[in-house]
Amino acid sequence: MLIKETEVEVKFNHRFYKNIVKGYKSKDADGFSNFINGLIAKDPDALIAGYKFGLIGKKFTDDEVADALEDSGVFDKDNPYKDLYKKVVKSGFLKAKIQLMKKSAEEDYQTIKELLNKASLKKDEKEALENQFKMTEQQYLKQKKAMEELAK
């Protein structure tokens, strides 16, 4: 990748993971989850973060990385999110982290589903849980489908 007339290597590995967890976090989620969810949502900021935190050696700003991606036509490709996702999952470590994310989402979904089936809930508790379940189910199914699409 060429940034500011400097050829730099981009590598997706444990170092990338450590850097993106800290550098791309929000108050609601760690940076790696934000990154994967950004790819799912087709957020250009996720592309910039992915390449920025995958750089080996010299550090560059978001703007410098964005300019390099723009100059190389990454944003104009058919599906740069899918392209980046495929590069990320080539790392066994990162693929395992994504599998863990999927498993955690599945467990959350199943837990709420099981709680709904318990007869000991009061009517208002059950209604609140049903609403939470519907939201969780929609989010889970949407994320699952999007991750399957990225992996194709």
Side-chain angles (χ1 to χ4, degrees):
M1 182 174 187
L2 190 64
I3 303 177
K4 292 184 72 175
E5 300 179 16
T6 303
E7 189 65 37
V8 291
E9 182 182 1
V10 179
K11 195 167 186 177
F12 301 102
N13 55 17
H14 186 264
R15 179 178 295 119
F16 161 80
Y17 175 79
K18 286 190 325 184
N19 290 337
I20 204 161
V21 163
K22 292 178 187 173
Y24 198 55
K25 67 183 175 183
S26 69
K27 65 178 184 166
D28 299 325
D30 71 81
F32 188 70
S33 297
N34 277 344
F35 167 65
I36 296 299
N37 289 327
L39 292 180
I40 290 169
K42 298 184 178 183
D43 181 351
D45 289 330
L47 291 176
I48 295 166
Y51 284 101
K52 177 184 176 183
F53 292 107
L55 295 173
I56 302 294
K58 192 173 178 190
K59 304 283 185 205
F60 292 93
T61 66
D62 289 357
D63 289 340
E64 291 167 334
V65 173
D67 288 345
L69 294 174
E70 188 75 48
D71 293 345
S72 66
V74 168
F75 294 119
D76 298 324
K77 291 183 180 179
D78 285 341
N79 196 339
Y81 310 95
K82 186 177 201 174
D83 296 341
L84 183 54
Y85 182 84
K86 285 183 175 184
K87 291 176 185 177
V88 168
V89 296
K90 284 182 182 176
S91 162
F93 173 78
L94 296 174
K95 188 174 185 176
K97 291 303 257 182
I98 291 168
Q99 293 300 326
L100 186 61
M101 281 178 64
K102 289 178 183 178
K103 183 180 178 199
S104 177
E106 170 76 22
E107 288 172 353
D108 290 349
Y109 171 75
Q110 291 299 333
T111 299
I112 293 173
K113 193 174 181 179
E114 289 169 13
L115 285 172
L116 268 175
N117 293 327
K118 294 202 178 217
S120 62
L121 292 172
K122 295 177 186 173
K123 184 180 178 183
D124 59 336
E125 290 173 336
K126 187 163 183 148
E127 286 175 5
L129 198 54
E130 283 172 347
N131 289 335
Q132 184 181 357
F133 175 72
K134 286 176 188 173
M135 289 174 33
T136 301
E137 181 179 43
Q138 288 174 347
Q139 182 180 0
Y140 166 70
L141 294 174
K142 182 179 175 183
Q143 183 181 39
K144 182 178 177 182
K145 182 180 178 185
M147 288 181 96
E148 288 169 357
E149 286 296 317
L150 283 175
K152 286 183 182 176

